[in-house]
Amino acid sequence: MRVIFKDVYDLDKRCYEEFNLTEDILMEHAAYEIALEIYKRFEKGSSINIIAGPGNNGADGITLARILLGDYNVHLYLPLGAKSNMAKLQLDRFKKLKGKIETKYKKADVIVDAIFGSGLKRDLPQEIINLIRKINNTKAFKIACDVPTGIDDKGNLRPIAFKADLTITMGAEKLSLYNDFAKDYVGEIKVANLGVSFLNYTKKSKYILLEKDDLILPFRNKQNTHKRSYGHLGVLAGDKKGAGIIAGLSALNFGAGLVSIVAKENIEIPYELMLSNKIENFSALAFGMGLNNHFDDEFENILKLDIPMVIDADMFYKDIIKEFLNKKNIVLTPHPKEFASLLKII
């Protein structure tokens, strides 16, 4: 698992106060990390269009333009000017190397978005919305500096976003990059080293990103066994019985030794599954998927069972869910709308 952060302002501040680094040093490293990716992926002489915003995200882009100037055909476009102190400083450095500022957007082999980074909390100006629409329709390799412009600090689109092939985020990964709404816009994600190692730059976070290695799969390491050695799962089938059947087949493929579909009436099920009309003799229970009002009269008895339970879907609209939250060994699997309903109930 990896730690991720809602923002990295405190981490940057720690670099200034504890490590005696400066904003300028961090910015040079940020820009150079993007430059390294461009050097690695594109031949010298390729055209690079860097669109820089008025703040420090834009300053990163201006710094990048200075680094690439001479090796690449660099176009620097400042649709909103340069307003922060660092943006003005970096622009002055760029101009001293005879760098030119474009007066309008130009197509290029590579487009770098350095308009707005992390921390966006409002809708984009209409001018930038129109520009991003034009960029997204341009055939080029697109790189986002820190966070694609238009993705706010919660990962929502405000109201659209730059669609990156590669996002190089500064210092550490941001929570906003992993919001479902952002996933189609961030592309490949890489973390830029800002002058200290990741371990020195970061600290503890309440957010973590699970990785493939964190998945511990069941492993059958005994020879003398039978199907009940690996548990008997009961899956309650309700109004939409297919949901329960799919859940049962998934459990069987995942390693459950025996899976029974529990239904109020005889239904047709795959031959791999068992059919039962009683909730008994199970070592685990799964219910809620496609359930509707089926089994409402049995939840008091289900509450008395001392077995692991997976609770899903329709259960998050029932008041009795509050009682299940007091049990041990339960797993809740709501999607966002179901989770919103659960929060209202509890």
Side-chain angles (χ1 to χ4, degrees), residues 50 52-53 58-67 76 78 82 87 90-91 94:
I50 301 166
D60 287 343
I62 299 168
T63 308
L64 172 67
R66 189 198 74 232
I67 293 170
L76 176 62
L78 305 170
Q90 297 295 359
L91 186 58
F94 177 74

Side-chain angles (χ1 to χ4, degrees), residues 5-9 57 115-124 145-156 158 169 174-177:
F5 300 84
K6 190 172 187 297
D7 60 64
V8 296
Y9 300 122
N57 190 255
I115 306 173
F116 295 114
S118 58
L120 184 69
K121 291 182 170 63
R122 56 183 173 83
D123 285 350
L124 297 172
C145 174
D146 197 27
V147 172
T149 291
I151 295 176
D152 71 13
D153 59 345
K154 294 181 175 62
N156 299 312
R158 302 299 295 265
T169 196
K174 282 80 180 178
L175 194 63
S176 60
L177 297 174

Side-chain angles (χ1 to χ4, degrees), residues 187-243:
E188 180 187 359
I189 298 172
K190 290 199 168 186
V191 178
N193 180 300
L194 299 184
V196 290
S197 73
F198 180 77
L199 290 177
N200 287 328
Y201 178 78
T202 57
K203 56 184 180 181
K204 288 184 179 179
S205 172
K206 62 181 179 180
Y207 305 109
I208 59 169
L209 182 69
L210 295 178
E211 300 178 277
K212 187 175 180 180
D213 290 345
D214 296 310
L215 180 62
I216 302 175
L217 298 174
F219 184 70
R220 298 183 176 184
N221 54 8
K222 292 183 179 180
Q223 302 271 350
N224 182 20
T225 62
H226 54 81
K227 59 189 176 185
R228 285 190 178 272
S229 301
Y230 304 105
H232 184 187
L233 172 68
V235 181
L236 307 190
D239 194 38
K240 298 177 180 178
K241 297 174 177 57

Side-chain angles (χ1 to χ4, degrees), residues 84-119:
S84 75
N85 290 335
M86 286 303 299
K88 292 175 182 177
L89 173 63
Q90 297 295 359
L91 186 58
D92 181 63
R93 292 170 175 172
F94 177 74
K95 288 178 177 178
K96 287 186 185 315
L97 285 170
K98 311 300 182 187
K100 295 182 180 179
I101 302 171
E102 303 293 342
T103 58
K104 61 181 181 180
Y105 167 71
K106 283 190 174 183
K107 294 182 180 180
D109 299 317
V110 181
I111 299 173
V112 179
D113 159 36
I115 306 173
F116 295 114
S118 58

Side-chain angles (χ1 to χ4, degrees), residues 120-135:
L120 184 69
K121 291 182 170 63
R122 56 183 173 83
D123 285 350
L124 297 172
Q126 190 60 49
E127 176 187 356
I128 300 302
I129 291 173
N130 295 339
L131 177 60
I132 288 176
R133 285 193 178 122
K134 186 183 293 186
I135 296 170

Side-chain angles (χ1 to χ4, degrees), residues 38 41-48 71-74 108-110:
I38 292 174
R41 296 170 186 249
F42 297 93
E43 293 182 358
K44 291 185 178 181
S46 301
S47 56
I48 314 289
D71 289 334
Y72 292 91
N73 184 11
V74 174
D109 299 317
V110 181

